[in-house]
Amino acid sequence: MAVREKTIGVLGGTGAQGKGLAIRWARAGLKVVIGSRSAERAQQAAEEIAGVAGGDVTGQDNAGAAAAADIVLLALPWDGHAETLTSLRAELAGKIVIDCVNPLGFDKQGPYALPVPEGSAAQQAEQLLPDSRVTAAFHHVSAVTLADLSVDHVDLDVLVLGDDREATDVVRELADVIPGVRGVYGGRLRNAHQVEAFTANLIAVNRRYKAHAGLRITDI
Amino acid sequence: MAVREKTIGVLGGTGAQGKGLAIRWARAGLKVVIGSRSAERAQQAAEEIAGVAGGDVTGQDNAGAAAAADIVLLALPWDGHAETLTSLRAELAGKIVIDCVNPLGFDKQGPYALPVPEGSAAQQAEQLLPDSRVTAAFHHVSAVTLADLSVDHVDLDVLVLGDDREATDVVRELADVIPGVRGVYGGRLRNAHQVEAFTANLIAVNRRYKAHAGLRITDI
């Protein structure tokens, strides 16, 4: 699968994480469809992204974006994740789906991982989308860094998890199109919880060191 | 606290992870006391480590090593972790304790994180050692790389977690004495689970890429 010829749907693409990735994919020449609950807000975000990055960026409601895309990134809020996916089962059938959702809570001591009955957001997606090829990736990206195209080398490895080798290879390619980024296979979907939850640790690092921290995997 | 003048106890120091760290600390000139259930096996491991690394390395049973040390690394098997710590509460009182235990299971699909009622091995240690200053660190070290002193630059950030700022600073120093290694604050102890569990992902990386993978944190 030549990933650069595919249409990428970014559900929840009006949020910072989805928007940041959409900017990079649009800049790399991929066709991007932003999804949101509101088609109007999706279209506004698409115009904004196209203004920054150029390229072919359009907006639709989540169902329309899911139907229009070959590969779909779920950049949804954790609150409502299950309901949204349940409603999109048909549109997402047969497609590679990438869950990048980090179920986190915040209190006065900072961030912490929320318990997820299915084990992780990605495993919840897998259960709710039995006709899709569910992977997990792009959890640790810095939205600020992605959105800033003056950063021409994003210093980050994207861990890609999943049980479908071909699907994880495609998602790794989708990471590799962002300059500086490397897609790295990171294990089976049952090991997604700790990758999602690790975002809480990176937020703690960011607060302590005043940084936009990411990960690199050494020795590979 | 000048960490180089301290005595480091390594409980479970006959295992690969403890032995690898002991080799590096002994080489750096720190006094090391290996602990094991059997004083005899601890002494054998101490001789072996001193033979490789030089320095002042001795061996005792776990209680003796805990009592003799200023700072204590728990490199124990997860099976028996709770029982061992319960028996060492007095010896570990008032000390900085570092839990590096990764509660993992293995089946035909590879490694996975075991559920821990207290949240993580480190939080279990915190509950069982209320008189100690419990931190979590050194989860992702490659025992093979540490034990090989021909590797003169270990490409690794050690995430140090804990709620006691002074204690995490000391443990970061203890990471920094290993050439190439950097100790990085990684959040509060309640966020230790995902750091422990992430070892399953690194094992998956190692299998896929034939590597001894570690982590680096970017932008700090």
Side-chain angles (χ1 to χ4, degrees), chain A residues 71-171:
Chain A
I71 302 170
V72 180
L73 178 77
L74 309 175
L76 303 160
W78 172 236
D79 185 24
H81 183 262
E83 291 77 356
T84 304
L85 296 193
T86 301
S87 73
L88 297 175
R89 179 172 167 175
E91 290 83 353
L92 294 172
K95 297 181 179 176
I96 294 175
V97 168
I98 312 162
D99 200 306
C100 69
V101 175
N102 299 310
L104 298 183
F106 290 85
D107 63 17
K108 62 180 171 22
Q109 296 202 320
Y112 59 96
L114 294 173
V116 179
E118 295 85 355
S120 62
Q123 287 163 292
Q124 184 183 85
E126 186 184 39
Q127 285 189 23
L128 296 174
L129 303 171
D131 311 316
S132 302
R133 303 166 76 181
V134 175
T135 66
F138 299 106
H139 304 88
H140 305 145
V141 297
S142 161
V144 172
T145 305
L146 289 175
D148 180 359
L149 287 175
S150 75
V151 179
D152 57 9
H153 178 94
V154 179
D155 192 7
L156 183 74
D157 283 345
V158 165
L159 291 165
V160 179
L161 289 83
D163 300 330
D164 175 332
R165 173 72 183 253
E166 192 188 51
T168 59
D169 284 350
V170 168
V171 178

Side-chain angles (χ1 to χ4, degrees), chain A residues 43-58:
Chain A
Q43 285 154 8
Q44 285 167 1
E47 279 174 36
E48 187 192 327
I49 292 162
V52 173
D56 182 347
V57 189
T58 55

Side-chain angles (χ1 to χ4, degrees), chain B residues 122-141:
Chain B
Q123 287 164 293
Q124 183 183 83
E126 187 183 40
Q127 285 189 24
L128 296 174
L129 303 171
D131 310 315
S132 301
R133 302 166 75 183
V134 175
T135 66
F138 300 106
H139 304 89
H140 305 147
V141 296

Side-chain angles (χ1 to χ4, degrees), chain B residues 24-79:
Chain B
R24 294 290 176 163
W25 287 328
R27 171 57 65 101
L30 283 72
K31 201 169 158 182
V32 175
V33 185
I34 300 297
S36 175
R37 273 176 301 175
S38 145
E40 196 188 336
R41 281 191 289 118
Q43 285 155 6
Q44 284 167 0
E47 279 174 36
E48 187 192 328
I49 292 161
V52 173
D56 182 347
V57 189
T58 54
Q60 299 194 36
D61 65 12
N62 279 324
D70 301 308
I71 302 170
V72 179
L73 178 77
L74 309 176
L76 302 161
W78 172 237
D79 184 23

Side-chain angles (χ1 to χ4, degrees), chain B:
Chain B
M1 183 185 283
V3 80
R4 284 178 191 272
E5 291 159 24
K6 299 295 170 187
T7 298
I8 314 301
V10 180
L11 309 193
T14 56
Q17 195 178 2
K19 205 182 277 183
L21 286 164
I23 285 171
R24 294 290 176 163
W25 287 328
R27 171 57 65 101
L30 283 72
K31 201 169 158 182
V32 175
V33 185
I34 300 297
S36 175
R37 273 176 301 175
S38 145
E40 196 188 336
R41 281 191 289 118
Q43 285 155 6
Q44 284 167 0
E47 279 174 36
E48 187 192 328
I49 292 161
V52 173
D56 182 347
V57 189
T58 54
Q60 299 194 36
D61 65 12
N62 279 324
D70 301 308
I71 302 170
V72 179
L73 178 77
L74 309 176
L76 302 161
W78 172 237
D79 184 23
H81 183 262
E83 293 76 356
T84 305
L85 296 193
T86 302
S87 72
L88 297 175
R89 177 171 168 176
E91 289 83 353
L92 294 172
K95 296 181 180 175
I96 294 175
V97 168
I98 312 162
D99 200 306
C100 69
V101 175
N102 298 312
L104 298 184
F106 291 85
D107 63 18
K108 62 181 172 20
Q109 296 202 319
Y112 60 96
L114 293 173
V116 179
E118 295 84 354
S120 61
Q123 287 164 293
Q124 183 183 83
E126 187 183 40
Q127 285 189 24
L128 296 174
L129 303 171
D131 310 315
S132 301
R133 302 166 75 183
V134 175
T135 66
F138 300 106
H139 304 89
H140 305 147
V141 296
S142 161
V144 172
T145 305
L146 289 174
D148 179 1
L149 287 175
S150 75
V151 180
D152 57 8
H153 178 93
V154 179
D155 192 7
L156 183 73
D157 283 344
V158 165
L159 291 165
V160 179
L161 289 83
D163 300 330
D164 175 332
R165 173 71 184 252
E166 194 189 51
T168 59
D169 285 350
V170 168
V171 178
R172 291 198 297 113
E173 263 191 79
L174 204 52
D176 290 342
V177 302
I178 304 172
V181 173
R182 181 173 66 157
V184 174
Y185 173 72
R188 290 178 178 272
L189 219 57
R190 69 175 179 177
N191 283 316
H193 167 73
Q194 53 267 30
V195 175
E196 298 171 1
F198 191 73
T199 304
N201 301 78
L202 288 175
I203 293 170
V205 171
N206 287 343
R207 289 181 178 185
R208 171 67 65 92
Y209 297 94
K210 315 285 181 222
H212 299 295
L215 288 186
R216 284 287 189 194
I217 306 293
T218 61
D219 198 39
I220 63 166

